[in-house]
Amino acid sequence: MDASFTAEQDEIRRTLRELLTKRCGPDRLRAAIDSPAGHDPALWAALAEQLGLPGLALPESYDGVGCTTTELALACEETGRFLAPSPLLATAVLAAPLVLALGSETQRATLLPRIAAGSLTAALAVPGTALTTALALTGPNDGEWAGGGRAGGVQARQQGDGGWRLYGQVAQVLDGHSAQLLLVAAHAGGFARSRTLLFLVAGDAEGLVRTRQTALDATRPLARIELRDVAGELLGVDDSPRLLRELSALGDTAATVLAAEAVGAADRVVERTVHHVRQREQFGRAIGSFQAVKHRLADVYVQVQAAKSAAYYAAWGTVHGERVGGLALAQALEALRGAAAEGIQLHGGIGFTWEHEAHLYFKRAAGDELLFGPVHRLRAYAAEGARLFESREVTV
């Protein structure tokens, strides 16, 4: 592994940081998350038009930039530093790869150029709280999470003309209230031929009801989706095993990107906390000069740097056949949670106020763990996959 960045990667990081510094300050962040969309459309347009961020990891044949997941992860490290509210995760990380991997040529040619241009946002709707299972992050992806019969979830029924109708409800859909396209996982076939399929549903489809929910992390808007006899278009072909394989592969990519986001946020927390303890005085001296404060910050710094190394390795591994995204995500979320907690404590009374942004970073760690974790299950499933705790006979 070459630990150095290429000139192109450095340029992506530098340009993105400069843009976000100008366009995503604390005031604009709060205004964006309080808006109906939950993000700043002007910032999203700038990310798409100036940097091509939605299409960064899409092939050039579909108007993408043609980079890899490594570059996308490094870019998301910068968006994580600013907690930039945008449809990037839902659209470019969760939805676009599934369209690329499973869609027909017509579907890819119709949807991917629009996603790359930023003119089409998308969201992945997985029933219940089973997103981590569907992505094979905390358990095997066997398709049972989609629901069936009386198990709830979303049901799909094929009509005589070959079309599909969808019924059911999905909670906790990331950016589901504003996405122009939904990728809905549904159960089809009843008990005779039970299978899980993925359907394309237009955001303005008749019978579709979308309600924004109150989320712990306001920078990641969630929605409840109700499908009341809604028309859906099958993504690709009727091949449930292939869908489950692609979702599992997507899980490692998504975990890698999320890990990079988390270490970017943790790095920012450390920077802001160090700046504060250098300025804040107590007993006639900066509180950062006290040994106890130095030790606490040193522990946080080591944890964040270790998580950053793990995230970078996972990003490198996505294009070299190594799947360690789940472990990197566990370490990154733990580092962010620890850094944010210490940041709140070391900021003193101001750190606990609603007006200060320290709590937003803590909520990002907690919210991501609720959506994609928890940490101990991410590690347990990774250990199970590596067969770390299997008993083995030792021959002497």
Side-chain angles (χ1 to χ4, degrees), residues 155-159 161-167 186-189 193 195 197 199 229-235 238:
Q155 311 300 314
R157 183 179 303 168
Q158 192 167 19
Q159 305 298 298
D161 59 359
W164 293 83
R165 309 296 295 186
L166 306 181
Y167 313 80
H187 178 271
R193 189 175 171 234
R195 61 201 189 278
L197 301 174
F199 295 89
D229 191 17
V230 175
E233 177 186 348
L234 181 65
L235 180 63
D238 188 340

Side-chain angles (χ1 to χ4, degrees), residues 165-367:
R165 309 296 295 186
L166 306 181
Y167 313 80
Q169 178 176 297
V170 187
Q172 298 184 2
V173 180
L174 186 63
D175 286 313
H177 67 294
S178 62
Q180 297 157 310
L181 176 70
L182 297 174
L183 276 65
V184 181
H187 178 271
F191 295 102
R193 189 175 171 234
S194 176
R195 61 201 189 278
T196 302
L197 301 174
L198 204 59
F199 295 89
L200 301 173
V201 176
D204 58 354
E206 184 178 355
L208 178 66
V209 179
R210 306 192 286 180
T211 307
R212 184 174 177 181
Q213 298 175 300
T214 300
L216 174 63
D217 177 12
T219 66
R220 290 217 198 278
L222 301 175
R224 182 178 69 252
I225 307 298
E226 297 177 47
L227 300 114
R228 304 172 181 176
D229 191 17
V230 175
E233 177 186 348
L234 181 65
L235 180 63
V237 297
D238 188 340
D239 189 348
S240 182
R242 183 185 174 193
L243 167 62
L244 299 182
R245 289 194 302 270
E246 292 298 338
L247 280 170
S248 298
L250 174 65
D252 184 71
T253 300
T256 298
V257 172
L258 284 162
E261 256 195 359
V263 297
D267 206 32
R268 177 65 169 168
V269 170
V270 172
E271 286 181 6
R272 289 183 60 84
T273 305
V274 169
H275 176 76
H276 176 78
V277 299
R278 284 177 173 173
Q279 303 298 320
R280 173 68 174 171
E281 291 189 358
Q282 192 172 20
F283 306 114
R285 55 190 288 194
I287 62 174
S289 64
F290 293 109
Q291 191 174 36
V293 174
K294 291 180 179 179
H295 285 178
R296 291 172 68 172
L297 283 173
D299 289 342
V300 170
Y301 177 80
V302 170
Q303 188 178 30
V304 171
Q305 292 304 310
K308 185 180 292 188
S309 295
Y312 287 169
Y313 184 82
W316 175 85
T318 56
V319 293
H320 291 86
E322 294 197 40
R323 299 185 59 176
V324 293
L327 276 176
L329 177 58
Q331 191 163 354
L333 290 179
E334 193 170 57
L336 175 55
R337 187 176 58 198
E342 286 289 359
I344 291 172
Q345 289 285 337
L346 293 176
H347 272 83
I350 192 175
F352 289 86
T353 62
W354 184 260
E355 290 75 17
H356 200 275
E357 61 181 326
H359 68 94
L360 296 176
Y361 288 88
F362 188 85
K363 289 176 180 177
R364 168 60 66 89

Side-chain angles (χ1 to χ4, degrees), residues 107-156:
Q107 289 170 334
R108 292 197 296 265
T110 302
L111 300 175
L112 291 179
R114 295 171 61 198
I115 289 177
S119 60
L120 178 68
T121 58
L124 175 63
V126 172
T129 56
L131 182 59
T132 55
T133 304
L135 297 177
L137 292 175
T138 58
N141 182 0
D142 54 12
E144 295 296 328
W145 46 268
R150 296 184 178 181
V154 178
Q155 311 300 314

